[in-house]
Amino acid sequence: MTAALGDRMRKLMRQHGINQSQLAARAGTTQPNISKYLAGEREPTSSTLANIATALHTTSEFLLGLPESNADTPFGTIKAYCARHGGDLSEAETRELIMTLLTAREQGGHHGI
């Protein structure tokens, strides 16, 4: 599992143009730890894995090579998209998305969009 984790992390780091130090800072860990995860020498704790996934705009399930929960449902699709691309949204776009969800919930899901 650790080699596959490192491969997935490396691919996403290249995709987002970030290095080990930048990932470490965003994930709240150290560059030597990131290096060990990439080399398959160490596995991150669940909280560190979640932070790495967030920093790489993905999910912990993806990094671990597990099936993503609810991937075949509209919710799963939206959740996976947000996890992977949420970092690309501006602060205003993020707030608008959150407000849209809250408004839809208050209206019982029938909001005419």
Side-chain angles (χ1 to χ4, degrees), residues 55-102:
L56 294 174
H57 311 295
T58 191
T59 62
S60 297
E61 290 95 345
F62 174 80
L63 288 176
L64 294 173
L66 301 173
E68 296 192 46
S69 57
N70 301 318
D72 294 330
T73 68
F75 171 76
T77 302
I78 293 166
K79 182 180 172 185
Y81 182 86
C82 288
R84 291 190 181 104
H85 304 290
D88 299 334
L89 298 174
S90 70
E91 186 172 332
E93 291 169 328
T94 301
R95 286 183 183 170
E96 182 179 348
L97 179 60
I98 292 168
M99 292 307 299
T100 300
L101 291 169
L102 291 173

Side-chain angles (χ1 to χ4, degrees), residues 13 16 19-20 24 32 35 38 52-53 68 73 75 87 89 108 110-111:
M13 288 170 65
H16 295 293
N19 62 35
Q20 291 182 25
S35 179
L38 291 169
I52 290 170
E68 296 192 46
T73 68
F75 171 76
L89 298 174
H110 304 290
H111 48 79

Side-chain angles (χ1 to χ4, degrees), residues 9-27 34 38 51-57:
M9 286 174 57
R10 198 173 289 104
K11 178 182 176 188
L12 290 169
M13 288 170 65
R14 279 193 301 270
Q15 181 179 329
H16 295 293
I18 62 174
N19 62 35
Q20 291 182 25
S21 296
Q22 292 167 322
L23 178 57
R26 294 177 188 181
I34 295 295
L38 291 169
N51 290 343
I52 290 170
T54 299
L56 294 174
H57 311 295

